[in-house]
């Protein structure tokens, strides 16, 4: 048995969970699906004194959609997103990104809230939250607050969550039916964390020019980021091959790209550009140049 | 009750004996289930916790170090060594079992977190002297393994894959079985086995068997 010693509690209410977290003042961890936390414990990368299992707290696994967008309860599992009857229409980018999350056994247990709280720089859900300007609803002793995704991810595996706070919901803004979008990522083996990934979406005006482009990237820096230079270059343009190459060339502009055991920084920069090209082509419904050559 | 817990020593023979007697009828008291523990005050971390699992149709009351994974509970405490420990970090799929009918990784699941749930392992698919589960038979027929280490995980995952409706074509099967590695690379034969057993596995599910 590898994990360091910990105690385990399974409160049946949110208030109970918050009370336990508060009482341990940073020395307790929330567990739900455990698909990120269990490996962390097994590798002894974290050693909380208490695990607070929120998996059986009622009313945290809702998926709802309305005029204000899509709301996902913290305990929504990846399989719930994939198997939802209407989410593929209501938020196709979310559903497409979810299909890249690990393997199906893991998608059967892993949760939306867990992925956000774990904040792996290469994880899909934090990338979607950043790309879509999601709002993350958390509850703690002081009550409920809403954290914009841009303020939520502080660094690798670090978030704006206070020690006594639990994520209860993530809200994604409304998704117009005609929106252009694509999600692309690359990993050496299917199901591994991505070496890099991009999420792209935009709308078109009456002349076929891009309005309000959103481009998010995962795996390249210590936290998911928006590619501001590429977004600025894409705005107002018609998306043709020349525009795609010009925008993709700016993919890594101004980014502090991470180098680690998996890939040198230059490799990640090149990969990011290629992935952005592919995503832009697919979003514009243009043929993939690499396949048509 | 506490006497039962104190006398529970970690030798494999005892585990096997416990398993055998539990199969005949639950022996260890039902008092220390999750409900009682859920809101409990801080306790000694070295004190075991009670976990009740329904494993292959039999209720098992276990007294475990709280860190015990579902995989270790099955292998070390119940003597069910069909589920394999490959990587112990969620990459290989050799520990795949069904929890309430859904395939999960035993190595990334705390036994305490599935307290009260129904677990199906490779041992629960059939009994000695009985016909093999159609998926097991298909793996034999299609030569879908060489060394066999990944096979119980592959078979449990394959059953989950069929139940989910993720075995519609070869590409689907490859995609949704990607969490199960086979170092002998029997993949083409695994795909063939799943196609062979798909209809029979579906009709078993329809008739409420596993």
């Amino acid at each position: 048995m590898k994990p360091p010693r910990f105690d385990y509690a399974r409160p049946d209410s949110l208030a109970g969970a918050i009370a336990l977290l508060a009482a341990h003042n940073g020395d307790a961890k929330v567990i739900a699906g455990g698909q990120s936390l269990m490996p962390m414990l097994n590798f002894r990368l974290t050693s909380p004194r208490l695990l607070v299992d929120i998996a059986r707290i009622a009313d945290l696994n809702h998926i709802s959609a309305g005029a204000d967008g899509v709301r996902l309860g913290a305990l929504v599992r990846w399989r719930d997103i994939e198997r939802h009857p209407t989410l593929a229409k209501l938020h196709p980018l979310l559903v497409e990104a979810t299909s890249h999350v690990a393997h199906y056994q893991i998608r059967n247990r892993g949760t939306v809230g867990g992925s956000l709280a774990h904040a792996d720089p290469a994880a899909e859900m934090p990338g979607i939250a950043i790309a879509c300007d999601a709002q993350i609803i958390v509850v703690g002793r002081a009550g409920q607050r809403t954290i914009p995704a841009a303020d939520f991810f502080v660094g690798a595996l670090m978030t704006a969550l206070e020690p006594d706070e639990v994520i209860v919901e993530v809200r994604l803004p409304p998704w117009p039916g005609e929106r252009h979008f694509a999600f692309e990522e690359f990993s050496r083996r299917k199901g591994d964390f991505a070496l890099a990934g991009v999420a792209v979406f935009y709308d078109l005006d009456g002349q076929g020019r891009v309005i309000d482009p959103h481009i998010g990237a995962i795996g390249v820096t210590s936290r998911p980021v928006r590619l501001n230079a590429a977004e600025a270059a894409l705005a107002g343009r018609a998306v043709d091959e020349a525009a795609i190459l010009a925008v993709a060339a700016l993919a890594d502009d101004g980014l502090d790209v991470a180098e680690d055991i998996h890939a040198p920084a230059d490799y990640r920069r090149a990969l990011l550009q290629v992935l952005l090209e592919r995503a832009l082509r697919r979003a514009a419904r243009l043929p993939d140049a690499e396949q048509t050559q | 009750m506490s006497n039962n817990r104190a006398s529970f020593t970690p030798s494999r023979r005892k585990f096997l004996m416990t398993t055998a007697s539990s199969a005949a009828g639950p022996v260890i008291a039902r008092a220390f289930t999750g409900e009682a523990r859920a809101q409990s005050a801080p306790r000694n971390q070295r004190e075991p916790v009670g976990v009740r699992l329904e494993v292959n149709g039999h209720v098992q009351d276990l007294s475990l170090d709280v860190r015990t994974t579902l995989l270790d509970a099955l292998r070390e405490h119940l003597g069910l060594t069909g589920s394999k420990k490959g990587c112990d970090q969620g990459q290989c799929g050799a520990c795949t079992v069904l929890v309430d009918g859904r395939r999960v990784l035993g190595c990334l699941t705390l036994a305490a977190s599935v307290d009260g749930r129904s677990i199906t392992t490779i041992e629960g698919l059939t009994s000695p002297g009985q016909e093999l589960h159609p998926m097991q038979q298909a793996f034999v027929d299609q030569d879908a393994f060489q060394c066999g280490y990944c096979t119980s995980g592959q078979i449990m995952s394959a059953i989950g894959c069929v139940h989910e409706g993720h075995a519609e074509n070869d590409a689907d099967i490859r995609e949704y079985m990607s969490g199960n590695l086979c170092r002998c690379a029997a993949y083409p034969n695994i795909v063939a086995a799943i196609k062979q057993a798909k209809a029979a596995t579906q009709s078993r599910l329809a008739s409420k068997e596993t």
Side-chain angles (χ1 to χ4, degrees):
Chain A
M1 195 169 334
K2 294 181 294 184
R5 285 206 174 273
F6 54 76
D7 202 353
Y8 170 88
R10 197 170 57 229
D12 52 19
S13 71
L14 197 55
I18 291 164
L20 283 167
L21 291 171
H24 283 75
N25 194 29
D27 213 4
K29 272 274 194 191
V30 173
I31 187 168
Q35 303 301 283
S36 301
L37 188 56
M38 288 292 288
M40 295 274 287
L41 290 165
N42 282 349
F43 289 127
R44 299 203 168 205
L45 293 172
T46 181
S47 49
R49 244 183 42 221
L50 174 72
L51 293 189
V52 179
D53 188 344
I54 63 167
R56 298 194 199 184
I57 294 177
D59 303 328
L60 286 182
N61 60 354
H62 56 280
I63 297 178
S64 63
D68 62 344
V70 170
R71 297 178 176 208
L72 305 171
L75 291 180
V76 168
R77 300 179 195 271
W78 309 118
R79 69 166 276 134
D80 303 329
I81 292 175
E82 288 193 310
R83 302 179 83 81
H84 193 273
T86 53
L87 261 188
K89 270 215 159 77
L90 295 169
H91 210 294
L93 178 67
L94 170 70
V95 174
E96 187 179 331
T98 298
S99 73
H100 291 270
V101 177
H103 305 291
Y104 210 81
Q105 288 98 320
I106 288 171
R107 286 185 231 155
N108 267 337
R109 278 191 70 73
T111 64
V112 165
S115 177
L116 295 171
H118 181 59
D120 190 293
E124 290 82 3
M125 191 64 211
I128 292 301
I130 284 287
C132 296
D133 290 321
Q135 306 272 321
I136 295 160
I137 317 297
V138 307
V139 177
R141 254 178 318 182
Q144 177 173 311
R145 64 184 179 123
T146 301
I147 309 175
D151 300 332
F152 186 81
F153 302 102
V154 177
L157 311 185
M158 285 160 56
T159 69
L161 274 175
E162 295 295 331
D164 63 316
E165 286 181 324
V166 181
I167 297 173
V168 292
E169 188 178 84
V170 57
R171 296 180 184 164
L172 301 170
W175 184 273
E178 290 306 299
R179 183 165 272 177
H180 291 254
F181 72 95
F183 183 91
E184 289 280 344
E185 72 168 46
F186 178 78
S187 58
R188 290 218 172 85
R189 281 186 316 188
K190 173 72 199 167
D192 282 359
F193 274 114
L195 291 177
V198 289
V200 173
F201 68 88
Y202 57 82
D203 301 313
L204 294 177
D205 67 13
Q207 279 77 50
R209 289 179 306 232
V210 170
I211 307 170
D212 196 21
H214 286 56
I215 307 177
I218 56 171
V220 285
T221 60
S222 63
R223 52 183 173 158
V225 284
R226 290 282 283 275
L227 305 183
N228 297 322
E231 285 180 355
L234 184 58
R237 288 189 75 153
V239 188
D240 54 18
E241 189 62 26
I244 288 171
L245 293 175
V247 170
L250 294 170
D252 60 329
D253 193 69
L255 293 188
D256 182 16
V257 177
E259 169 155 339
D260 63 17
I261 185 174
H262 303 293
D266 286 346
Y267 178 80
R268 280 210 162 86
R269 288 177 183 276
L271 189 55
L272 185 64
Q273 292 189 1
V274 171
L275 291 172
L276 182 53
E277 277 179 30
R278 288 180 188 169
L280 287 168
R281 275 192 206 105
R282 210 149 57 73
R285 293 146 205 169
L286 292 171
D288 190 330
E290 291 150 55
Q291 279 170 18
T292 52
Q293 271 164 14
Chain B
M1 294 324 95
S2 54
N3 285 345
N4 273 340
R5 291 162 77 173
S7 67
F8 197 91
T9 54
S11 88
R12 184 164 168 188
R13 181 167 297 165
K14 276 233 169 119
F15 295 144
L16 292 172
M17 287 162 58
T18 308
T19 312
S21 51
S22 294
V27 282
I28 305 179
R30 301 179 172 220
F32 45 94
T33 59
E35 304 310 315
R37 201 182 54 250
Q39 297 276 16
S40 64
R43 52 178 199 91
N44 182 353
Q45 290 183 9
R46 292 176 187 271
E47 186 95 346
V49 295
V51 174
R52 167 170 297 178
L53 304 175
E54 187 195 318
V55 182
N56 300 330
H58 299 289
V59 172
Q60 303 281 4
D61 284 305
L62 298 169
S63 179
L64 302 172
D65 184 312
V66 72
R67 298 173 293 173
T68 309
T69 62
L70 175 58
L71 178 62
D72 283 340
L74 294 169
R75 288 181 56 85
E76 308 294 328
H77 294 261
L78 292 170
L80 298 172
T81 53
S83 308
K84 298 300 186 218
K85 183 176 281 196
C87 67
D88 218 12
Q89 49 181 274
Q91 295 195 342
C92 76
C95 62
T96 302
V97 296
L98 304 182
V99 175
D100 290 343
R102 297 179 184 179
R103 49 181 169 149
V104 307
L105 299 174
C107 77
L108 293 191
T109 304
L110 280 181
S113 72
V114 289
D115 186 32
R117 305 287 197 219
S118 163
I119 318 293
T120 308
T121 71
I122 190 81
E123 291 92 344
L125 295 184
T126 186
S127 312
Q130 303 286 305
E131 262 185 40
L132 292 177
H133 184 284
M135 192 63 77
Q136 292 174 304
Q137 188 60 51
F139 268 64
V140 173
D141 294 346
Q142 298 293 338
D143 210 8
F145 53 89
Q146 289 180 44
C147 82
Y149 195 82
C150 72
T151 306
S152 46
Q154 298 277 2
I155 289 173
M156 298 314 292
S157 194
I159 292 170
C161 185
V162 169
H163 288 179
E164 293 152 12
H166 285 149
E168 294 311 300
N169 52 55
D170 287 20
D172 249 18
I173 292 171
R174 287 178 178 278
E175 166 75 21
Y176 287 98
M177 289 295 289
S178 66
N180 291 81
L181 301 182
C182 171
R183 295 298 299 269
C184 307
Y187 298 113
N189 303 18
I190 291 169
V191 173
I194 293 172
K195 284 160 72 179
Q196 175 185 319
K198 183 182 147 192
T201 300
Q202 281 168 334
S203 62
R204 274 207 171 206
L205 178 68
S207 64
K208 298 259 177 195
E209 299 173 41
T210 306

